[in-house]
Amino acid sequence: MKNDIIYKKISKNFPAAKLKVFYDQTTPGKTSRQCQNIIKYSTIMGAFDKNKLVGIGRALDDTIYAFITDVIVHHGYQKRGIGSKIVKSLCNNLIKRNIKVIHCSTDKNLIKFYKSAADFKYESGDVTLFLK
């Protein structure tokens, strides 16, 4: 299967209804209002198969520090490197904006993924990762 996935920053005028459909298909529970606020207050990188949103990575920041809050890939698109590319794209976008520290807390079973996706270093004794 050919991988024609496009990676791009999701703009502030992205339809909240499309984001809600994505969350409903991947991690249900977000309300329409929450999706509107996610778009309004987050930096979001999306992975698109044609016009279908198949993955996201989002971060919150204060212009100095950023915190990656979600990296989600639709089940049917997993194991293709899409999540890694989303993390790399998101981190590159944050770095271009002069974010100094990118922080990510994750489950222990995902530490290897984040370390390989964006050169995070692992602080021992915790599951917190920081971009080098």
Side-chain angles (χ1 to χ4, degrees):
M1 181 184 291
K2 192 173 178 183
N3 190 0
D4 291 327
I5 304 300
I6 304 295
Y7 301 88
K8 62 183 176 181
K9 186 172 184 255
I10 290 179
S11 69
K12 299 296 181 192
N13 61 359
F14 187 81
K18 280 189 176 185
L19 185 60
K20 180 153 179 18
V21 167
F22 173 78
Y23 274 116
D24 287 347
Q25 294 172 347
T26 57
T27 53
K30 300 275 193 289
T31 66
S32 294
R33 181 73 174 156
Q34 287 171 325
C35 289
Q36 290 170 351
N37 285 333
I38 287 168
I39 293 167
K40 183 176 181 179
Y41 296 112
S42 303
T43 298
I44 308 171
M45 296 304 291
F48 294 85
D49 184 358
K50 298 184 174 82
N51 288 326
K52 180 182 179 182
L53 181 63
V54 298
I56 65 163
R58 77 179 180 103
L60 301 170
D61 73 84
D62 65 2
T63 71
I64 300 168
Y65 299 97
F67 183 79
I68 296 176
T69 59
D70 286 332
V71 176
I72 305 166
V73 177
H74 191 283
H75 181 72
Y77 289 82
Q78 292 178 359
K79 304 295 183 195
R80 297 188 199 179
I82 294 170
S84 294
K85 289 179 183 173
I86 289 171
V87 171
K88 287 177 189 174
S89 297
L90 180 60
C91 289
N92 286 338
N93 179 275
L94 295 167
I95 290 166
K96 285 178 186 174
R97 293 180 37 230
N98 288 322
I99 299 294
K100 302 298 182 206
V101 176
I102 302 171
H103 172 87
C104 175
S105 291
T106 189
D107 295 329
K108 288 184 180 187
N109 62 334
L110 293 174
I111 291 170
K112 184 177 178 182
F113 164 77
Y114 282 101
K115 285 176 73 175
S116 66
D119 198 26
F120 280 92
K121 70 178 181 180
Y122 173 62
E123 296 294 317
S124 63
D126 197 353
V127 291
T128 300
L129 300 165
F130 296 93
L131 192 65
K132 290 182 182 176

